[in-house]
Amino acid sequence: MSETAAQSSAPLRARAEIDLAALRANVRTLRALAPGAALMAVVKSDAYGHGAVPCARAAVEAGAEWLGTATPEEALALRAAGIDGVRIMCWLWTPGGPWREAVEASLDVSVSGMWALREVVDAARAVGKTARVQLKGDTGLGRNGCQPGADWAELVAEALRAEGDGVIRITGLWSHFACADEPGHPSIAAQLSTFREMLAYAEQAGVRPEVRHIANSPATLTLPEAHFDLVRTA
């Protein structure tokens, strides 16, 4: 089964043929490399230009338990296409984003700052549904994550308070490697150590996440010690 993308009104200059059978085979191979973890197939940016909906469906057919997108709009488009029965997580938020729609669609939303936690809590209260929230720590990437230390302590405490009120469920704790595609890079061990420390703090405070994850595609291939409960592959 394949999907072909082409301009309909212009002379054919280039053609991309997406082999969904190969995609399924790749997902099965990656799952075998991390047998103790669930697999998230990342289909952000229209599955990197390959067609988010058909690629998402193929990944789920091959055993992916999760789908990942960058923006909430991408995640909501998957739900609108009828992709249900699988967890979908999105992580790039801006103030005033479609939090209510995300909660209603049962998306897992990433929160890395107090402003985002406040907005998802307000949205959950407005729709009367518990929001699924994953707390992201910045372990060294320097992008879209809560800093360790006092900031992390404040975020964890407020999230637990909201969870105690039944407004949110803390479904995950996660982070992202900066240089996992460079085996042996000193940042890898440093980030993994920081992640473990942030996990320990949150869990000692009372967080009971469904999944803990930091492994992207390179880490899935080369760092089994980083697989935890979920790996994210593209």
Side-chain angles (χ1 to χ4, degrees):
M1 179 177 181
S2 65
E3 176 192 358
T4 301
Q7 293 286 340
S8 60
S9 60
L12 188 63
R13 288 178 170 271
R15 168 175 149 166
E17 185 166 308
I18 312 306
D19 189 338
L20 296 181
L23 188 151
R24 294 186 193 94
N26 289 341
V27 169
R28 288 191 289 268
T29 298
L30 289 166
R31 290 190 75 239
L33 289 173
L39 183 137
M40 175 188 292
V42 178
V43 292
K44 65 181 182 179
S45 301
D46 196 31
Y48 302 89
H50 294 78
V53 171
C55 287
R57 286 180 173 144
V60 172
E61 289 166 4
E65 297 94 339
W66 290 72
L67 297 171
T69 70
T71 69
E73 290 80 8
E74 293 171 336
L76 290 168
L78 295 178
R79 285 285 193 243
I83 298 177
D84 296 308
V86 61
R87 299 287 284 275
I88 303 178
M89 178 181 169
C90 53
W91 48 82
L92 287 187
W93 287 88
T94 55
W99 296 99
R100 288 184 60 160
E101 294 88 339
V103 174
E104 290 173 329
S106 298
L107 303 180
D108 282 66
V109 300
S110 178
V111 164
S112 57
M114 292 300 298
W115 70 268
L117 182 61
R118 285 191 289 268
E119 293 202 9
V120 72
V121 164
D122 288 345
R125 291 189 191 280
V127 302
K129 182 176 180 178
T130 301
R132 294 176 177 172
V133 171
Q134 300 214 11
L135 304 180
K136 183 179 183 184
D138 183 359
T139 56
L141 179 63
R143 183 186 72 200
N144 185 235
C146 182
Q147 292 294 310
D151 288 351
W152 184 244
E154 181 186 26
L155 184 63
V156 167
E158 289 301 316
L160 282 168
R161 187 170 292 112
E163 186 173 63
D165 291 340
V167 182
I168 72 169
R169 166 80 177 99
I170 305 172
T171 59
L173 300 170
W174 75 294
S175 189
H176 197 294
F177 281 117
C179 300
D181 56 344
E182 301 178 44
H185 193 284
S187 69
I188 296 172
Q191 282 194 256
L192 193 53
S193 176
T194 300
F195 185 56
R196 292 185 187 278
E197 291 170 2
M198 296 178 83
L199 288 179
Y201 178 88
E203 291 172 351
Q204 287 169 8
V207 176
R208 298 293 179 264
E210 297 173 27
V211 289
R212 304 159 300 159
H213 52 110
I214 189 173
N216 52 4
S217 297
T220 300
L221 296 172
T222 65
L223 293 169
E225 66 271 27
H227 289 174
F228 292 94
D229 307 304
L230 174 70
V231 296
R232 308 184 307 269
T233 63

